Amino acid sequence: MADETLAELNQRFGSGTKDLEADEVAELKSIMRLHQLSVQDLFFKWESYGMKMGMDDFVPSIDNLRAFKQNLQDDLERSNRSQAHIKTEKRVGATPRAGKGGDVFGMLDGLAMPGPGRTKAAVKKTPATSRVKAEPTSSPLKLEDLPNATGALPPSSFNDRPNPGEVLEILNEQLEAAEPPISPFPESRIKFTTSSDQKKLGYKGLAMKLSEASEILDDRIEEFAIEIMKHHKLEQSAFGSPASQGTTEIIAVGRIASDSLEGKLNAASVVLETSRRMGNGLRVPLNLSKLKAYQFFPGQIVALRGINTSGRDFTVHQILDIPLLPNAASAPDVLANHLARLRGGPDAMDSDETPTLPLTVLFASGPYTADDNLDFEPLHTLCNEAADTYVDAVVLTGPFIDMEHPLIALGDFDLPPEADYDPDTATMATVFKYLVSPILNRLVAANPSVTVLLVPSVRDVLDKHVSWPQDAFSRRELGLHKNVRMIGNPMTLRINEAVLGISSQDALWELRSEELVGGARAADALSRVSRYLVEQRHFFPLFPSSDRKRLPKTGAVDAAGGGVPPGAMLDVSYLKLGEMINVRPDVLVVPSALPPFAKVVESVLVINPGYLSKRKAAGTYAKMTLYPPSPEDVRSEGMIAHKVFERARVEITRI
């Protein structure tokens, strides 16, 4: 029995592969005897104490344990004094008497309106909030062992979800599923570098000028015109204004738009919007009768060969291909350094016999809890999986504290009982600190080499930057471990050699709902809308965005009786920050309400992990196993294409 207790203490309180010292074990056992605690309950209280004291990690030392022991003793003494004070004031055996409000047995104490002469009991609440059904922040990673306040298992439907862990789709099934390591890696095997300038995402929102927005839209058309001219080797004289009447065939470059403010784009309403320099900013109707097939959406930059003989519309004869960005590539020495990092250091760089475990990355998108609670059970389960399999990275996109969650929208929630905060100064950062941060911190404690990336959403009530492109979260007051990093929305970065592009904005759903497809319809709609992002070199090429009333409903209730999401909330003056930089991403992560998938589109691995939690059901996430480049490629000369789409196995899995 003693050996089992020691093993459990090392599992809960140990750091990675390092066991507790003898004096630390003795101190922990002393606390357990004094307060009659199990190892699990002791760990709960230790985590709560760490959050209260603002500790960066939960690695115990003898000094911290002694302070923790004294804190428990002080809490016990205060509790005993409070109970003794209540007993002395209570009139034992007295006949209940009705007060002025007529409540004999105090049955009306829970009502909203106190009777005359009574005052409401002071309750800790966050601003504009009341009740929350929240899981204690000190809950373990294993959800099946998680008790609620009454000691019973939580009555959540999440535990009854069908087929948990079922793999719905596998990309590159010929690649073997890697076995997890038997212990955490001694240090991170990933080197992160950002390609986007994250400082520019901190722009001042709600200050858009029409002149700046117009220039951004014009510049995008003209930049594409230059690329098209180079790609197709055209002369400047071949281009012209589609609004000008003439008998000579020209090439017109512009933006697809609709001549109506309402309704979906159709063949009769499609127009081409020109820039001021190339067409005086005019819009001209398009005649598509000569085309066998076409695929358009509002905001798409296109190059059309045709003629305007009548002066009323531009008859399109051909749609010119838009040149794609080059594939990502690296020098051989850069790939060798990354390969050495996977093998354990520079000494193993030239050893082909050294076993190399592939990188494993989990991708998930919010919401992270069901509509009827704030227990964050799906997030607990995902972090449990990341801790058990010792993944290298976890990429999480918002929303985390969703403004469209019914309890958040109504302000109908409380923080956990053990949360220590000032109700007069509490903010949504306080909510995140006590509901989400402990889950991520326990993941890092169990898997010290993991890196967690957080990407905000325009639906995150936590982020003060509500327009897209969007700045990263502020770390202040969130109580997160240093292994948890904040990045902007969207962001292009490198995971070792692989270029990763990620955005939490649901561009795919809006593109699918707004596109106009004529003639020979492409068989795979998901690949088609994914290609729009790669071709247009932008994480959200749709303009204007969809009417928010047409977006999928949320659980929040408004005056009209249904949850209407906030929509894209584009800041047009800064849309250039949403462009892909220099090269096509190796991996493009775009969470969407569309069915989750993993596809290769124009040599880009496009992943939609789905939502981790649906409104009333469990959702999905994606796991990418990235095998390293071959030693032959590393020894090659010249720039080497990454070809991540060939060496990455992606599994779409039910949570």
Side-chain angles (χ1 to χ4, degrees), residues 351-413:
S351 176
D352 294 345
E353 291 76 19
T354 304
T356 305
L357 292 177
L359 287 177
T360 53
V361 184
L362 299 185
F363 299 102
S365 176
Y368 292 97
T369 188
D371 273 5
D372 60 350
N373 65 73
L374 288 174
D375 294 340
F376 289 90
E377 294 165 304
L379 184 59
H380 272 282
T381 304
L382 180 74
C383 291
N384 183 46
E385 170 70 15
D388 289 345
T389 58
Y390 303 117
V391 301
D392 294 286
V394 179
V395 180
L396 304 175
T397 64
F400 296 91
I401 307 295
D402 187 5
M403 67 173 65
E404 294 301 310
H405 191 285
L407 298 180
I408 299 294
L410 296 175
D412 188 18
F413 67 97

Side-chain angles (χ1 to χ4, degrees), residues 288-316:
L288 307 177
S289 60
K290 302 292 185 181
L291 296 177
K292 294 182 179 179
Y294 51 83
Q295 301 166 9
F296 294 137
F297 63 87
Q300 181 182 12
I301 307 300
V302 295
L304 308 176
R305 188 189 300 274
I307 189 171
N308 185 350
T309 56
S310 64
R312 294 187 300 270
D313 57 32
F314 184 76
T315 302
V316 183

Side-chain angles (χ1 to χ4, degrees), residues 228-285:
I228 290 166
M229 184 171 60
K230 293 179 180 178
H231 178 72
H232 292 280
K233 299 179 181 179
L234 301 170
E235 298 293 334
Q236 182 69 42
S237 58
F239 294 83
S241 171
S244 300
Q245 184 177 3
T247 58
T248 305
E249 190 177 64
I250 64 168
I251 295 174
V253 180
R255 178 181 293 103
I256 294 295
S258 175
D259 65 357
S260 174
L261 296 178
E262 298 180 356
K264 189 176 181 294
L265 185 69
N266 57 69
S269 65
V270 63
V271 298
L272 186 68
E273 180 182 87
T274 63
S275 66
R276 284 171 292 186
R277 188 179 68 84
M278 301 182 67
N280 295 323
L282 297 175
R283 287 184 169 187
V284 57

Side-chain angles (χ1 to χ4, degrees), residues 122-159:
V123 181
K124 273 190 178 183
K125 295 183 180 180
T126 55
T129 63
S130 55
R131 295 187 305 278
V132 163
K133 292 183 287 184
E135 177 186 347
T137 57
S138 55
S139 58
L141 284 172
K142 294 290 187 182
L143 290 177
E144 57 268 23
D145 299 330
L146 180 66
N148 62 11
T150 63
L153 289 177
S156 171
S157 60
F158 180 78
N159 291 328

Side-chain angles (χ1 to χ4, degrees), residues 154-215:
S156 171
S157 60
F158 180 78
N159 291 328
D160 301 327
R161 65 196 186 278
N163 305 319
E166 178 186 5
V167 178
L168 302 178
E169 179 180 337
I170 301 177
L171 179 70
N172 288 334
E173 193 171 1
Q174 72 277 7
L175 299 176
E176 295 183 1
E179 292 293 331
I182 59 176
S183 63
F185 296 104
E187 59 183 13
S188 176
R189 302 192 302 155
I190 288 181
K191 180 180 180 182
F192 279 104
T193 55
T194 58
S195 302
S196 303
D197 190 348
Q198 186 154 312
K199 293 181 179 179
K200 292 183 178 180
L201 291 173
Y203 63 87
K204 183 179 180 181
L206 304 178
M208 182 172 62
K209 297 180 180 179
L210 290 179
S211 58
E212 294 177 355
S214 177
E215 290 174 1

